[in-house]
Amino acid sequence: MKYKRILLKLSGESLMGDKQYGIDNERVKQYAEDIKAVHDKGLEIAIVIGGGNIFRGLSAEKSGMDRAQADYMGMLATVINSMALQDALEKVDIKTRLLTAIKMEQICEPFIRRRAVRHLEKGRVVIFGAGTGNPYFTTDSAAALRAIEIKADVVLKGTRVDGIYTADPEKDPAATKFEEISFREVYDKGLNVMDMTAFTLCEENQLPIIVFDMNKHGNFMKIASGEPIGTLVK
């Protein structure tokens, strides 16, 4: 396997499957099976999930809600998603730990960096919930931050598309895909990979990002094995 320790970033919307809202159990089950296959190869896996399938802070702010309040609600949505994935992973016999940036001891552990690293070293899949614990930061930023803190080898961003394109391939059929691109080129071309805070964190800490289609069964294993699918940003 190409990597020893990876951080997988999933959007909340990816958990919806074909639904308009909430969690598609079949999609979560597929993710759990793909994660198990990679975990069984000995890789250390940490995961960050968004909450957009349940609540999105930015959208609520536009409707008149206080931004900080809306963001805290979004953080709670990420914990719901994290618990759903945790349950699916445990059903396929993967030991997990859910660590959150906001304390809620009855259902998870508080995030402590050294504890998170120790869980990974013991072969547990670690899920980081509640973003960074601060409003005005996205789960992309949380993924970049946690990946740096645990010294992950790479951030794998699982999306609905199979990489980074010159334009949105769902809207522009003429869009072409990048196999590999530099951080500077992403800035210069104005491409939307992650929010700027997350992207800058990765660049400054020389942490590569791979954007790939997580919805295709087996892609996660191919990425972990070093196959050149998706788009590499380095």
Side-chain angles (χ1 to χ4, degrees):
M1 306 302 283
K2 184 173 182 178
Y3 305 104
K4 180 179 184 294
R5 179 177 296 166
I6 57 182
L7 187 136
L8 174 63
K9 168 62 169 66
L10 298 171
S11 68
E13 288 90 339
S14 68
L15 300 190
M16 291 192 300
D18 296 327
K19 295 184 177 183
Q20 298 300 311
Y21 176 84
I23 298 169
D24 181 340
N25 288 332
E26 288 304 312
R27 177 54 51 80
V28 177
K29 181 180 177 182
Q30 179 226 311
Y31 284 173
E33 290 170 350
D34 284 346
I35 291 165
K36 175 180 170 58
V38 173
H39 179 267
D40 287 349
K41 294 290 186 180
L43 269 74
E44 297 175 3
I45 303 172
I47 305 169
V48 172
I49 313 175
N53 57 320
I54 298 172
F55 189 87
R56 184 175 288 281
L58 277 173
S59 299
E61 183 194 23
K62 291 175 183 176
S63 302
M65 184 177 287
D66 177 77
R67 171 67 188 273
Q69 185 82 339
D71 280 354
Y72 280 120
M73 292 172 68
M75 290 178 217
L76 298 181
T78 72
V79 177
I80 292 172
N81 285 338
S82 297
M83 292 175 69
L85 183 60
Q86 181 181 38
D87 178 74
L89 286 167
E90 290 179 344
K91 280 184 166 59
V92 292
D93 298 322
I94 297 292
K95 294 187 183 301
T96 69
R97 290 294 186 274
L98 172 55
L99 278 64
T100 62
I102 298 172
K103 288 185 179 180
M104 41 188 89
E105 288 92 340
Q106 284 82 355
I107 57 175
C108 53
E109 300 176 17
F111 171 73
I112 298 171
R113 185 182 66 85
R114 290 180 183 274
R115 180 181 289 176
V117 171
R118 187 64 179 140
H119 285 322
L120 290 167
E121 290 172 345
K122 287 187 174 182
R124 298 162 183 155
V125 170
V126 175
I127 306 171
F128 297 120
T132 66
N134 301 288
Y136 301 97
F137 290 90
T138 67
T139 49
D140 276 352
S141 293
L145 177 63
R146 296 292 182 245
I148 294 162
E149 288 181 296
I150 65 171
K151 294 182 169 56
D153 300 319
V154 64
V155 172
L156 303 181
K157 183 168 181 179
T159 68
R160 294 180 300 177
V161 294
D162 62 345
I164 301 170
Y165 284 75
T166 53
D168 186 342
E170 295 180 348
K171 297 176 181 177
D172 183 358
T176 57
K177 178 184 166 187
F178 296 99
E179 301 299 327
E180 186 174 311
I181 190 169
S182 69
F183 284 96
R184 180 51 50 193
E185 285 180 291
V186 171
Y187 288 123
D188 293 343
K189 295 178 186 296
L191 301 174
N192 184 23
V193 178
M194 287 180 157
D195 73 80
M196 198 56 68
T197 302
F199 197 72
T200 303
L201 268 174
C202 291
E203 180 187 28
E204 290 179 348
N205 290 275
Q206 299 179 321
L207 179 65
I209 304 164
I210 300 177
V211 179
F212 73 107
D213 181 3
M214 182 69 182
N215 292 347
K216 186 174 180 182
H217 184 63
N219 268 1
F220 188 37
M221 175 63 80
K222 291 177 181 177
I223 287 280
S225 302
E227 288 190 37
I229 66 170
T231 300
L232 170 64
V233 184
K234 67 175 185 177

